[in-house]
Amino acid sequence: MKSMEEMIQAAQQAAQTIQKQMEDAQGRLDAIEIEGVAGGGLVRIKASAKGRVIGVSIDDSLMAASEKGILEDLVAAAFNDARTRADATAAEEMQKVQMAAGIPPGFKLPF
């Protein structure tokens, strides 16, 4: 039987391992690029899986002054599409880390 000190030490090591895995996963999420699109591809926004906007691409055909309102709506829609996809990808990646660490499904970590 292990002593209480050995069990505490093992728990601390496990917590450190999980913390490291979570930090690594967060780093990977920022490297994953997701693209959101709107207007049949006329507006595109690239974002990281953490939600950082990497770039915006607007088709030249939308640059007429009379189309300003439509363009603004499409940019917002593309950003929201990218954010939704980024959130889903982030959730999948974090679930992989939790499963690898033996954390039960549905357990919420404070990260």
Side-chain angles (χ1 to χ4, degrees):
M1 181 196 267
K2 291 183 178 180
S3 70
M4 183 62 90
E5 186 177 314
E6 288 173 326
M7 290 188 330
I8 290 172
Q9 213 170 28
Q12 287 174 333
Q13 288 175 344
Q16 288 173 348
T17 299
I18 291 171
Q19 172 106 20
K20 173 80 170 100
Q21 290 173 336
M22 295 303 281
E23 289 171 1
D24 291 346
Q26 290 292 326
R28 286 193 308 272
L29 290 177
D30 201 44
I32 296 172
E33 289 188 14
I34 308 295
E35 184 176 61
V37 297
L42 294 174
V43 176
R44 298 176 180 275
I45 292 181
K46 285 188 181 179
S48 75
K50 286 188 77 172
R52 179 176 55 88
V53 174
I54 298 166
V56 176
S57 173
I58 301 171
D59 188 273
D60 289 342
S61 67
L62 295 175
M63 295 310 216
S66 62
E67 302 295 325
K68 185 177 185 294
I70 293 171
L71 178 59
E72 291 170 345
D73 289 345
L74 289 172
V75 169
F79 176 80
N80 289 331
D81 184 43
R83 183 66 216 189
T84 298
R85 292 172 190 237
D87 288 345
T89 301
E92 289 172 15
E93 290 296 315
M94 296 312 289
Q95 185 177 20
K96 289 177 190 175
V97 170
Q98 286 181 321
M99 289 174 55
I103 298 171
F107 185 81
K108 300 289 183 198
L109 294 173
F111 306 108

